[in-house]
Amino acid sequence: MTFSNDKPIYIQMADRLCDEILSGKYQDDDRIPSVREYAVLLEVNTNTAVKAYEQLAREEIIYNKRGLGYFVTKGAKKQILKARKKEFMKERLPEFFRQMHLLDISIDDVAEAYKKLTEC
């Protein structure tokens, strides 16, 4: 995985795991890779992976079964979607609309581009 400099690596790791839950790779109550497995997979320090898992556990996206590992919490996908939609609407959409205005891009232009992208 290539990490960006705009946010901490452990947050990017947590985001990736959330992406995997959203994509259906992991369902409710599925076991996810161990902290060590995920650290090796993403080529990061184990302590960084621990922070990512702790963050997701605090957010109740995953839970730990002592001696068995981490599992996806029931309803995690719905919770992630709700949080991401809220963040998108509050943080990203206003900037998107600002850029549309500056570049004189209409909502029809966006709809057409969206249609072309989703036809694939």
Side-chain angles (χ1 to χ4, degrees):
M1 177 174 178
T2 303
F3 296 101
S4 64
N5 292 325
D6 64 338
K7 55 183 159 178
I9 291 174
Y10 80 94
I11 297 290
Q12 293 176 66
M13 290 179 67
D15 287 346
R16 177 184 166 138
L17 199 46
C18 286
D19 289 348
E20 292 171 342
I21 293 168
L22 288 175
S23 74
K25 183 173 183 176
Y26 302 113
Q27 305 286 324
D28 289 353
D29 293 316
D30 279 356
R31 185 182 177 282
I32 61 172
S34 72
V35 170
R36 284 189 180 87
E37 289 169 339
Y38 215 53
V40 168
L41 177 69
L42 300 182
E43 300 176 349
V44 299
N45 184 292
T46 303
N47 292 331
T48 304
V50 167
K51 285 178 73 173
Y53 277 49
E54 287 174 347
Q55 176 72 28
L56 292 172
R58 276 192 303 275
E59 294 173 2
E60 299 180 352
I61 302 297
I62 61 173
Y63 64 95
N64 188 6
K65 283 187 183 178
R66 192 176 183 108
L68 297 176
Y70 282 93
F71 295 79
V72 177
T73 302
K74 276 192 190 328
K77 183 175 182 175
K78 186 176 179 180
Q79 183 179 336
I80 295 164
L81 278 171
K82 183 179 177 182
R84 289 207 175 165
K85 284 179 182 180
K86 182 179 178 182
E87 186 266 339
F88 180 83
M89 298 299 276
K90 185 178 179 185
E91 304 294 329
R92 297 182 188 196
L93 202 53
E95 175 59 19
F96 179 76
F97 286 144
R98 187 178 82 77
Q99 289 295 322
M100 283 178 62
H101 178 73
L102 289 173
L103 300 172
D104 194 29
I105 297 171
S106 73
I107 198 72
D108 291 333
D109 295 335
V110 173
E112 184 178 326
Y114 179 78
K115 185 178 177 184
K116 286 179 183 176
L117 287 172
T118 57
E119 287 174 351
C120 299

